[in-house]
């Protein structure tokens, strides 16, 4: 902050006050520059290099698979998108994963009806840290396209999926929902931090044979 000089005589007091106001404003702007955006020579915010750097190099397949699986294992909430009669529905829902297959405990509702009519679904998973972070490198998420099927309590694989949620098996006897199994066919990984490693921010994984 600027140190104020001694005030002048009364006939110039108003001019002195205005001068001090402008000096305080200038000091505030300089401090803001240091804390916020980097300014160019024209006094405009610089565009971060991560926006302008073009990187297209793909991750090695094994590395891409490992990163996707690690991200899925670290998350618990996703958005399941279903559609019927051209009317989409997006449902926040808890999930667990086993490899590239996701499982969701589906309570009775429209999403189950949609899947019965149209098993093609999309799933979004993101890192909530990026929602409140000013660091663009924190932006990380998955867009998953796959095929869903519904598992009833008597169906093979139901109990195995139910156990992934860590609930007592006895609860399954009193649950009226259905387990949603989503087998991923295509996964897009978006991770802006990959550019710092020399890789494209968007990476594509597809199931073999598709």
């Amino acid at each position: 902050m600027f140190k104020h000089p001694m005030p002048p005589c009364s006939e110039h007091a108003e001019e002195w006050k205005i001068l001090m106001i402008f000096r305080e404003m200038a000091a505030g702007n300089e401090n803001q520059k240091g804390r916020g955006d980097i300014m160019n020579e024209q006094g405009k915010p610089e565009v971060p290099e991560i926006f302008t750097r073009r990187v297209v190099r793909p991750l090695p397949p094994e590395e891409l698979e490992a990163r996707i699986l690690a991200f899925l294992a670290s998350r618990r909430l996703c958005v399941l998108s279903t559609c019927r009669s051209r009317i989409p529905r997006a449902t926040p829902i808890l999930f667990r994963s086993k490899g590239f297959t996701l499982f969701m405990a589906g309570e009775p509702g429209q999403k189950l009806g949609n899947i019965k009519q149209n098993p093609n679904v999309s799933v979004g998973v993101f890192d909530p840290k990026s929602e409140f972070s000013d660091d663009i490198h924190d932006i990380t998420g998955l867009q998953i396209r796959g095929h869903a099927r519904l598992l009833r309590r008597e169906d093979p694989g139901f109990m195995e999926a139910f156990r992934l949620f860590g609930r007592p098996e006895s609860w399954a006897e009193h649950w009226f929902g259905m387990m949603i199994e989503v087998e991923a066919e295509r996964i897009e990984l978006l991770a802006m931090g990959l550019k710092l490693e020399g890789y494209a921010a968007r990476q594509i994984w597809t199931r073999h044979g598709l």
Side-chain angles (χ1 to χ4, degrees):
M1 181 178 294
F2 289 103
K3 293 183 178 180
H4 291 183
M6 293 297 293
C9 57
S10 58
E11 62 181 293
H12 299 294
E14 284 300 317
E15 296 178 6
W16 178 80
K17 290 179 181 178
I18 294 173
L19 175 63
M20 292 302 101
I21 290 173
F22 276 107
R23 294 182 70 177
E24 290 288 354
M25 290 173 62
N29 289 337
E30 288 298 321
N31 292 337
Q32 187 63 36
K33 287 181 183 180
R35 294 193 302 268
D37 297 330
I38 299 175
M39 312 300 283
N40 60 20
E41 293 180 356
Q42 289 74 38
K44 298 180 180 180
E46 291 280 4
V47 177
E49 183 186 0
I50 196 169
F51 281 120
T52 59
R53 185 194 308 172
R54 181 171 174 78
V55 186
V56 297
R57 185 161 66 116
L59 282 164
E62 300 80 6
E63 176 69 13
L64 175 58
E65 291 191 355
R67 293 196 185 215
I68 291 174
L69 293 175
F71 187 78
L72 284 172
S74 70
R75 306 263 56 87
R76 290 291 181 264
L77 183 66
C78 70
V79 175
L80 171 67
S81 296
T82 59
C83 188
R84 177 172 53 172
S85 301
R86 295 187 176 182
I87 301 176
R89 183 177 183 83
T91 305
I93 188 170
L94 295 173
F95 80 97
R96 298 293 186 271
S97 61
K98 184 177 181 181
F100 293 98
T101 301
L102 280 63
F103 297 94
M104 305 154 202
E107 297 290 340
Q110 185 176 330
K111 61 184 176 297
L112 300 185
N114 288 357
I115 292 172
K116 290 177 182 178
Q117 296 293 321
N118 179 9
N120 297 310
V121 300
S122 179
V123 180
V125 188
F126 78 102
D127 187 346
K129 178 175 65 174
S130 61
E131 184 177 359
F132 301 101
S133 174
D134 292 328
D135 188 348
I136 193 171
H137 301 100
D138 289 336
I139 297 177
T140 307
L142 298 176
Q143 295 177 340
I144 302 170
R145 187 181 71 200
H147 186 91
R149 72 184 184 109
L150 302 176
L151 301 177
R152 297 178 175 82
R153 192 163 53 244
E154 62 273 14
D155 291 334
F158 175 90
M159 286 308 304
E160 182 181 0
F162 191 87
R163 294 188 192 101
L164 294 176
F165 289 84
R167 302 292 188 260
E169 294 186 17
S170 59
W171 289 15
E173 300 176 8
H174 307 281
W175 184 48
F176 294 99
M178 302 178 73
M179 195 62 64
I180 303 171
E181 177 189 81
V182 177
E183 184 174 329
E185 298 172 350
R186 186 177 189 272
I187 299 177
E188 295 183 33
L189 166 66
L190 175 65
M192 296 300 289
L194 283 174
K195 284 191 173 184
L196 299 177
E197 303 177 48
Y199 294 103
R202 187 180 299 278
Q203 303 282 334
I204 310 295
W205 174 92
T206 57
R207 187 176 292 276
H208 297 303
L210 296 177

